[in-house]
Amino acid sequence: MKGLAWDRVVSIVLITPSVIAVAVFVYGFIGWTGWVSLSKWDGLRPNYDLAGWVNFDRLLNNSRFQIDVRNTIVFTLLFLAACLIIGLLLAILLDQKIRGENLFRSLFLFPMAVSFIVTGVVWRWLMVPSSGLNTLFAAAGLDFLKSAWYTSPTVLHIQPESGLAQVLARVGLGGLASPNFGLPLALISIVIAAAWQMSGFVMAMFLAGIRGIPEELRDAARVDGASEVQVYRHVVLPLLKPVTLSAAIVLGHISLKIFDLVASLSKQGPGFATDVPAFFMFQTTFQGDHFAQGSAIAVFMLLSVSLLVIPYLVYNIRREIEV
Amino acid sequence: MFWKNRWLSVAGILAVSAILLAACAPAAPAPKGQLQIFSWWTTGGEAAGLDNLYKIYNEQFPDVEIINATVAGGAGFEAKAVLKTRMLGGDPPDSFQVHMGHELIDTWVTTGQFMEPLDSLYQQEGWNNIFPAGVLEIVSQDGHPWSVPVNIHRANVLWYNTAILEEHNLTPPTTFDEFFEVAETLQDAGITPLALGDVGIWASTHLFETVLIGTLGAEDYRGLWTGETDWNGPGVREALENMKQMLTYVNDDHAALSWDQANDLVINGTAAMTIMGDWVDADYVAKLGTKEYQGFGWAPPPGNAGIYDALSDTFGLPANAPNREAAIEWLRLVGSKAGQEAFNPVKGSICARTDCDASLFGPYLRSAMQDWTRDSIVPSLAHGAAASEGWVTAIHDVMTVFVTDGDVAQAQAGLANACVDAGVCS
C-alpha cells in the first residue's frame, strides 16, 4: 500500500513538467489565439479590446476565404483518395513476396523523409510550364500530357446553362453550378506533389496491416476456391478498415493544415487557385498586420481539424473501454 | 604518464586564460561586439552592394562582428513577416531595411515605441541639406527623421529588347493606344509583347501601379492615397480596363515566374518588353557582364513620361537595439557619400544624396539621376511608399483575382473597399 502511494507521488512529479508545458504552450496559446480572434487587434500594436464576432463575420464574407474553404475541401478529397489508392496498390504489390522487397519499401518511403518545403521547391521546378516535365513530355512525343500545371487559372465547374445545372436547379441546388463549387486545375499540381510525398507512408501502414492478417485466414479462403483477387477483395480489404481510418485521419489533418508545400510550390496561385487558409492566415497576419483576422482563421482551422480528429478519438476511447 | 597529463592541462588552462585576457583588453572608444543588420538583400547586385557597405564598416571598426541577417524573397515579403515577429517578441536587430513612406511610418513609427528618432545623427551629418526635401519629408513624422535612406529606385520603367523593336520598326510606346498597337504587331510576329513574372503577386500590383499613373497622371494618382481621388471614379475604371487589355499580351506562364525570370524572356528574345523597377538594370549588368551593356533599352511605361515613381530602401534604429553604438555608426555609413557611392552603382539604384559622383554609374542610372531632379515624383504602391502594409495586402488580393478573371467592376469595388478598410476613404 505504502509502495503504491510512493509510486503515485513519483509519477505525479515526473508528469508535472510536461503537463505544465502542454497547458501553457498548447492550451494556453489556443485560448490566447481564441481571445485575439475576438479582439480589435488590427495593426502592429496589440489591442485586446473585445470586438465580438465581427472578425468571423467578415471572414466568412471574404471572397478569398470562401475560395480557400473550397480549395481545402477539394484538396483534402483528392489528396486522401490519391494517397490511399496509391498506398494500397503499392502495399499489395510489395505483398507478393517479391525479391528486394526491402529496397522497394525504403524507396517508396524515402519521399517522406523530405520536408514539404523541399518537395514544394522541387515540384515547382519540375512543373514550370516552359521547362521541366513539359519539355520531357515534348521530347517523348507525349504532347497531350503537357499542362499549365499550377499556373492554370481554370476552375472546372458545372456550367450554369448545362442540362445538369437545370436538373440541379429543379431540386433547389442550382447554386452548385458555380466556380465556388468547382475544381481548380492548379490544385492538382499540389495534390501530385503531396501524394508523391505521403503515399509511401500510407503504403507502410497498409503493408503492416496486411502482414498483421493471419495467413491462415487467407489460406482458408483459397481452400474455399477464392481467386487471389477475391482474397484481397473479401478478406484483406475488410480487415484493413481500421488501418484505412487511421491513415485517413493522419492525412486529413495534414491536408487541413497544409502551408509549407503551398508556400514553396505555388503560393496563392492564379486567382487564389492554390490558396489555403493557412497561407491566407500567414499573409493577413504578418504581411497585412490584421492579427485579429489571422487568429480567426487559426480558430477556424482548429475547429475543422477537431471535426475530423475528435470523433476518431472518441471512437478509439470507446473501443478501448469495450476491450 | 600522470604527470605529463597534468602539465598538459596546466598548459591548457594557461592558454585559455591568455585568450580570455586578450579578449578583455582595455575598451577603445570605437564600438565593438556585434552588429546585426536585417535585410532581404540576398542575390546579385543587392547582396554585392550590401557586402561593399560591410567591407567599409569593417575597415572602420575591425572589432565589430557583422551578422548578416537576411531573409530571401522579392520586395521583402517573407523578410518583413520575420522582422515583425522579432520586433513584437522583443528581439530587434540592430538595424533593419525598410521602405521609406507608409511602410516605415505606419508600421513602425505611428504605432509607437518601436523606433528611435535620428535627429542628432541628421544634425551631426548635415543630412537635412544633403537629402532632397521630398525624401526628408517622407522619412519624417512629427518633425523627426526615423530612418536613413540609402538609395532611390524608380518603379516605372519599361525595359525592351532593342533588336526586336527595331526589327519590326517599332518604338517604345508612349500611350496605351500605342502600346496596344505595338503589342498587336509583336504578337502577330509570334513574340510575347510583355513579359510578366508574378509568382509573387506584388509584380502584378507593380504593373497596375504604372497603369494607374499612366491613366490618371501624377496628381490624381497621389490623390488615391489621400482620399482625394475617387476609387469608384471613371479614372480607376479606365486604368483597370487598360490593365485588363495589357494582360492579354503577357506570357502564359507568368504565374510561375519571378520578375527576373520574366526579364530572361526579354534577354533571350522570346518577349519584347517588361515593365519593372530599375533593379532590372542590375539584372542586365549581372547577366551581360558589363555596366555599358548594349541591346536593351528603357523608357517610361505608357503615360508615365515625366513622372518618377519612387521607392527607397532605408535603415532605421529600433528602440532597444542591443548594439546601439555600432548601429549608429552603421547608419552614419549608410547615409555617407562613401557608403552610398559604394552601394548604389552595384545595387543598380541612384543615391538618395544629391552629391554622388555620376561617373561611377552606368548609362541607365546616369539618366535616372537626371530624371530624378526634373520629373514629378510620386510614391510607389507595391513597394511601401504610398500606402500602409495592410492596404497594400488588400490590393494584392484584389489583383490576384483580377489578373485571372478580368472582372473590372468587381476589382474596382474591391479597391474602393480596401481604401475604406485602410481608413483613408469613407
Side-chain angles (χ1 to χ4, degrees), chain A residues 25-41:
Chain A
F25 292 107
V26 177
Y27 296 98
F29 281 111
I30 288 177
W32 185 73
T33 305
W35 178 256
V36 172
S37 74
L38 299 173
S39 77
K40 291 181 179 162
W41 186 359

Side-chain angles (χ1 to χ4, degrees), chain A residues 41-46 58 62-64 67 124-125 127-130 150-151 153-154 265-272 280 282-291, chain B residues 77-78 80-82 84-85 87-88 106-108 111-114 198-201 252-257 261 389-391 393-394 396-398 400-401 404 410 421:
Chain A
W41 186 359
D42 201 45
L44 211 52
R45 265 291 145 204
R58 291 190 56 182
N62 184 311
S63 59
R64 177 172 179 180
I67 296 175
R124 184 177 81 211
W125 290 337
M127 299 194 286
V128 170
S130 49
Y150 54 88
T151 68
T154 313
L265 205 159
S266 61
K267 301 210 160 50
Q268 69 276 2
F272 297 122
F280 184 24
F282 168 72
Q283 287 201 322
T284 197
T285 311
F286 296 109
Q287 291 172 358
D289 296 343
H290 305 302
F291 284 83
Chain B
F77 283 109
E78 281 76 15
K80 287 177 211 164
V82 174
K84 279 172 198 166
T85 55
M87 295 286 278
L88 282 174
D106 289 359
T107 306
W108 300 113
T111 45
Q113 289 131 40
F114 284 114
D198 64 350
V199 66
I201 195 62
D252 291 335
D253 59 351
H254 60 87
L257 304 186
Q261 290 169 322
E389 286 183 272
W391 193 355
T393 314
H396 285 325
D397 281 3
V398 173
T400 303
V401 175
T404 308
Q410 193 193 338
D421 286 347

Side-chain angles (χ1 to χ4, degrees), chain A residues 58-174:
Chain A
R58 291 190 56 182
L59 190 62
L60 294 176
N61 287 311
N62 184 311
S63 59
R64 177 172 179 180
F65 187 70
Q66 291 166 355
I67 296 175
D68 290 353
V69 171
R70 173 201 71 190
N71 287 351
T72 305
I73 295 171
V74 171
F75 178 76
T76 303
L77 293 176
L78 292 180
F79 173 61
L80 274 179
C83 284
L84 291 177
I85 293 170
I86 296 172
L88 181 64
L89 283 179
L90 290 177
I92 291 175
L93 289 177
L94 280 187
D95 188 40
Q96 306 308 310
K97 308 199 170 50
I98 51 164
R99 193 181 290 215
E101 185 196 314
N102 274 334
L103 175 73
F104 286 111
R105 211 167 45 201
S106 316
L107 215 59
F108 294 139
L109 257 178
F110 275 152
M112 216 191 120
V114 177
S115 93
F116 265 132
I117 293 284
V118 178
T119 308
V121 171
V122 169
W123 281 94
R124 184 177 81 211
W125 290 337
L126 283 175
M127 299 194 286
V128 170
S130 49
S131 59
L133 287 175
N134 280 356
T135 322
L136 206 67
F137 291 149
L142 298 168
D143 283 293
F144 64 94
L145 280 176
K146 282 166 81 172
S147 158
W149 301 113
Y150 54 88
T151 68
S152 164
T154 313
V155 179
L156 289 185
H157 63 95
I158 304 167
Q159 296 301 321
E161 284 85 30
S162 67
L164 184 55
Q166 282 163 9
V167 173
L168 283 172
R170 214 162 293 157
V171 291
L173 292 170

Side-chain angles (χ1 to χ4, degrees), chain B residues 74-319:
Chain B
F77 283 109
E78 281 76 15
K80 287 177 211 164
V82 174
L83 178 66
K84 279 172 198 166
T85 55
R86 287 191 57 175
M87 295 286 278
L88 282 174
D91 173 33
D94 294 311
S95 181
F96 62 85
Q97 177 191 4
V98 58
H99 286 133
M100 77 169 180
H102 282 267
E103 185 180 311
L104 164 72
I105 302 299
D106 289 359
T107 306
W108 300 113
V109 178
T110 57
T111 45
Q113 289 131 40
F114 284 114
M115 306 297 286
E116 197 176 310
L118 300 170
D119 301 75
S120 65
L121 187 62
Y122 268 68
Q123 269 159 20
Q124 285 166 26
E125 298 294 310
W127 284 340
N128 290 321
N129 304 316
I130 287 169
F131 293 130
V135 170
L136 285 172
E137 193 188 315
I138 299 179
V139 298
S140 299
Q141 173 79 11
D142 306 329
H144 305 287
W146 295 92
S147 70
V148 181
V150 61
N151 66 357
I152 301 291
H153 267 302
R154 181 174 187 167
N156 58 338
V157 187
L158 179 137
W159 302 90
Y160 58 91
N161 184 317
T162 41
I164 294 180
L165 289 199
E166 273 167 21
E167 188 188 328
H168 298 90
N169 292 319
L170 299 167
T171 51
T174 58
T175 65
F176 286 102
D177 288 337
E178 274 181 42
F179 177 88
F180 298 131
E181 276 172 41
V182 167
E184 205 58 43
T185 313
L186 289 166
Q187 200 161 48
D188 290 344
I191 292 163
T192 304
L194 186 67
L196 173 67
D198 64 350
V199 66
I201 195 62
W202 64 268
S204 287
T205 307
H206 184 125
L207 176 62
F208 181 57
E209 92 181 50
T210 69
V211 176
L212 274 175
I213 295 170
T215 314
L216 294 170
E219 200 175 321
D220 281 0
Y221 170 81
R222 277 192 214 106
L224 289 172
W225 315 115
T226 56
E228 283 156 37
T229 306
D230 184 8
W231 282 94
N232 280 311
V236 173
R237 185 174 328 125
E238 194 188 334
L240 283 165
E241 296 284 358
N242 284 334
M243 172 88 173
K244 182 180 174 181
Q245 203 172 340
M246 282 174 101
L247 286 170
T248 58
Y249 297 110
V250 303
N251 44 309
D252 291 335
D253 59 351
H254 60 87
L257 304 186
S258 55
W259 66 268
D260 51 316
Q261 290 169 322
N263 191 41
D264 286 342
L265 300 180
V266 178
I267 292 179
N268 68 27
T270 43
M273 305 178 276
T274 187
I275 293 177
M276 189 32 69
D278 59 7
W279 40 96
V280 167
D281 179 58
D283 199 42
Y284 286 129
V285 173
K287 284 170 182 162
L288 306 170
T290 166
K291 247 188 251 181
E292 314 274 335
Y293 55 85
Q294 304 281 321
F296 301 94
W298 57 87
N304 279 245
I307 303 173
Y308 201 106
D309 181 16
L311 60 127
S312 166
D313 293 300
T314 72
F315 281 88
L317 182 62

Side-chain angles (χ1 to χ4, degrees), chain B residues 375-400:
Chain B
D375 279 3
S376 175
I377 293 171
V378 298
S380 163
L381 157 67
H383 303 280
S388 70
E389 286 183 272
W391 193 355
V392 177
T393 314
I395 294 177
H396 285 325
D397 281 3
V398 173
M399 279 301 123
T400 303

